[in-house]
Amino acid sequence: MNKFILCAAVAVAPLSWGDAALAQTTAASAAAPAALAPSAPAAMHTEHAASALPAMHAEHAAPAAPASSGPTPPHNANAMVYIGWPNDGQVMPAGRPFRVWFGLRNMGVAPSHVQFPNTGHHHLLIDTNLPPMDQPIPSDRNHLHFGAGETETMIELPPGKHTLQLLLGDADHVPHKPPVYSKKITIYVK
């Protein structure tokens, strides 16, 4: 039986400069650190990501958006989500957690249940295909939710071949229309 362990989630939000939604926070996520960064190229790795994330100060935060109520607001047609680390084909160490870094361009990250235009939150799909696009994304060991606006996590997987894919969800965990999802990557845990 395969077991996946979600070890830690870090709430940092690399977002595109200029989007009004970037500084969106809620009382529920106020305790989590937040950050802003320019759009990162898909090839950016985690060792470069930390230097690209200046701290967000309270004076730059926008007021909280209203709670979810209704259809998903429109999003940028050029939105792109990607896995910045690990890389496709990467060999990861068995028996210890490793970092997965989520990248997003032309959209912002907002916590679940916060409906704000051009935002969503990440869902990491492990060893599974994309779920139905007209229903809430399942929450189980193959569909990890990052509803506090996290943009990276630490996971531990058993030895073997695994797939990872990101799917952006709206305030109610439903994929956007059109859906915003990453390329599926394959990693090897040895």
Side-chain angles (χ1 to χ4, degrees):
M1 177 176 174
N2 287 338
K3 290 186 180 181
F4 305 125
I5 301 169
L6 176 62
C7 297
V10 179
V12 238
L15 305 170
S16 302
W17 295 112
D19 285 342
L22 297 183
Q24 213 47 42
T25 60
T26 64
S29 65
L36 295 175
S39 296
M44 182 178 198
H45 300 294
T46 53
E47 60 269 22
H48 305 297
S51 63
L53 300 175
M56 184 176 102
H57 300 284
E59 65 269 17
H60 302 292
S68 167
S69 60
T72 302
H75 69 280
N76 187 320
N78 295 320
M80 180 180 103
V81 65
Y82 57 94
I83 297 173
W85 180 263
N87 293 316
D88 192 25
Q90 188 89 32
V91 176
M92 305 306 294
R96 62 182 188 181
F98 60 89
R99 182 174 164 176
V100 180
W101 182 71
F102 314 151
L104 180 62
R105 298 174 104 185
N106 300 313
M107 277 187 80
V109 174
S112 63
H113 306 294
V114 172
Q115 184 126 308
F116 199 81
N118 203 40
T119 64
H121 64 278
H122 294 287
H123 298 83
L124 179 61
L125 311 181
I126 302 173
D127 296 332
T128 191
N129 293 320
L130 289 167
M133 295 295 151
D134 59 348
Q135 300 170 22
I137 300 164
S139 182
D140 57 34
R141 67 188 185 112
N142 298 100
H143 303 84
L144 304 182
H145 287 237
F146 296 92
E150 302 93 333
T151 59
E152 62 183 39
T153 191
M154 298 290 288
I155 62 173
E156 182 176 343
L157 298 174
K161 179 179 174 180
H162 298 281
T163 62
L164 302 175
Q165 187 171 26
L166 288 171
L167 174 59
L168 214 60
D170 68 9
D172 298 316
H173 303 281
V174 177
H176 293 80
K177 291 181 185 175
V180 180
Y181 57 90
S182 72
K183 171 185 148 192
K184 185 183 284 190
I185 68 165
T186 300
I187 60 168
Y188 302 90
V189 177
K190 295 183 179 181

